[in-house]
Amino acid sequence: MDNLLKDIYTKEQYVLYKDIISILQKEESDDFEKIFSIINLSNFSSQDDFNIFINHLTRHSTPVREITAYKLEEFISDFRIYFFSDISKNKLLDAIIDINPNISRAVCNVINLLDELKPFFESKIIERINALLLEIKEYQDNTGDLFDNNKKNRKNHAKNKKLFALYWYLEALCVCLTNKNNSKIIEILKNTIKFCDYTIREKTAKILVNINNAPLELLQIAKNDQNFYVKNQVYDKIDFED
């Protein structure tokens, strides 16, 4: 029996643990088996076993990804070191923009609790936002509808997917701010404060009030925004003259 578990599990419990890991390893295991196995996970005997578990955060069915995301926070206290592996960090990064917002929200909550990894996540998220903004610029150049109020309700899967990803990257950035990359972040916010989609402007304002020495002109733009949710992020938190 593995040293980490021999004083925690009875023999029967240990056999169950190995069965769970075995089910998670098998591609042919059905979703119900995987979900039930993940629900019953409470310990890990190695980084490899944790990697098998967190692998289900992406590229699996939505119910499997979602239960994996919800279970992550449970393991931070006792298995924090396992989150530091490249596999774990990259899985969390990729899951930020899951198509299921419940998963995105759960992953942001996890990142918020991993103080030691915030510099890593901040840097990587900035890179991903900048790459996404280049894609959005190309889209804007071709269609012209991201900043056009008359076209803001137009149904377009490609556009909505990019905006959804940007929204959650901005939310994740907000929870891992270190004030070490503020100049790069401000350049991003100068762009996103102009977006037609108010949710992007709202996340922009949320970041503005959480970084040191945010530019007055950007705070003023957010304060004067016509959308209540954008304005509310800064209205009672920033003391400056109109």
Side-chain angles (χ1 to χ4, degrees), residues 38-39 53 57 62-76 100-107 109-110:
I38 291 169
I39 288 172
F53 155 71
L57 190 58
T62 297
V64 171
R65 299 195 316 275
E66 189 166 0
I67 190 59
T68 302
Y70 286 147
K71 287 286 286 189
L72 279 168
E73 190 172 337
E74 178 182 320
F75 299 130
I76 290 177
N100 183 331
N102 293 329
I103 296 171
S104 299
R105 189 174 297 108
V107 169
N109 290 340
V110 169

Side-chain angles (χ1 to χ4, degrees), residues 82 125 163 204 226 236:
Y82 291 159
I125 290 169
L163 290 176
T204 300
Q226 294 183 349
D236 294 327

Side-chain angles (χ1 to χ4, degrees), residues 73-207:
E73 190 172 337
E74 178 182 320
F75 299 130
I76 290 177
S77 178
D78 292 333
F79 302 99
R80 197 177 195 87
I81 191 65
Y82 291 159
F83 287 82
F84 297 174
S85 74
D86 288 342
I87 290 176
S88 296
K89 291 187 293 186
N90 288 326
K91 285 291 177 180
L92 288 169
L93 274 172
D94 291 343
I96 289 170
I97 57 170
D98 193 285
I99 59 172
N100 183 331
N102 293 329
I103 296 171
S104 299
R105 189 174 297 108
V107 169
C108 286
N109 290 340
V110 169
I111 291 173
N112 188 41
L113 295 172
L114 294 170
D115 290 341
E116 305 95 322
L117 292 179
K118 286 183 179 179
F120 166 83
F121 284 116
E122 182 184 56
S123 177
K124 292 296 184 182
I125 290 169
I126 288 171
E127 290 178 8
R128 293 193 177 200
I129 289 176
N130 282 327
L132 181 57
L133 288 175
L134 287 176
E135 294 179 16
I136 288 173
K137 183 180 184 303
E138 182 179 355
Y139 176 91
Q140 170 67 16
D141 290 342
N142 291 331
T143 66
D145 73 345
L146 278 171
F147 302 100
D148 187 337
N149 285 321
N150 294 323
K151 297 181 181 180
K152 65 182 179 180
N153 294 321
R154 176 176 157 184
K155 292 182 179 180
N156 185 303
H157 177 70
K159 178 183 75 171
N160 291 338
K161 184 176 180 180
K162 294 179 191 300
L163 290 176
F164 182 88
L166 181 59
Y167 174 93
W168 282 108
Y169 276 143
L170 290 172
E171 175 64 17
L173 181 61
C174 191
V175 302
C176 64
L177 294 172
T178 67
N179 281 306
K180 294 180 180 179
N181 292 287
N182 284 1
S183 60
K184 294 179 181 179
I185 292 172
I186 288 169
E187 290 305 309
I188 288 171
L189 302 184
K190 287 178 181 178
N191 189 332
T192 56
I193 197 66
K194 300 180 295 184
F195 271 58
C196 179
D197 192 298
Y198 84 87
T199 63
I200 302 300
R201 303 197 310 275
E202 181 186 3
K203 291 303 175 187
T204 300
K206 184 177 179 180
I207 294 172

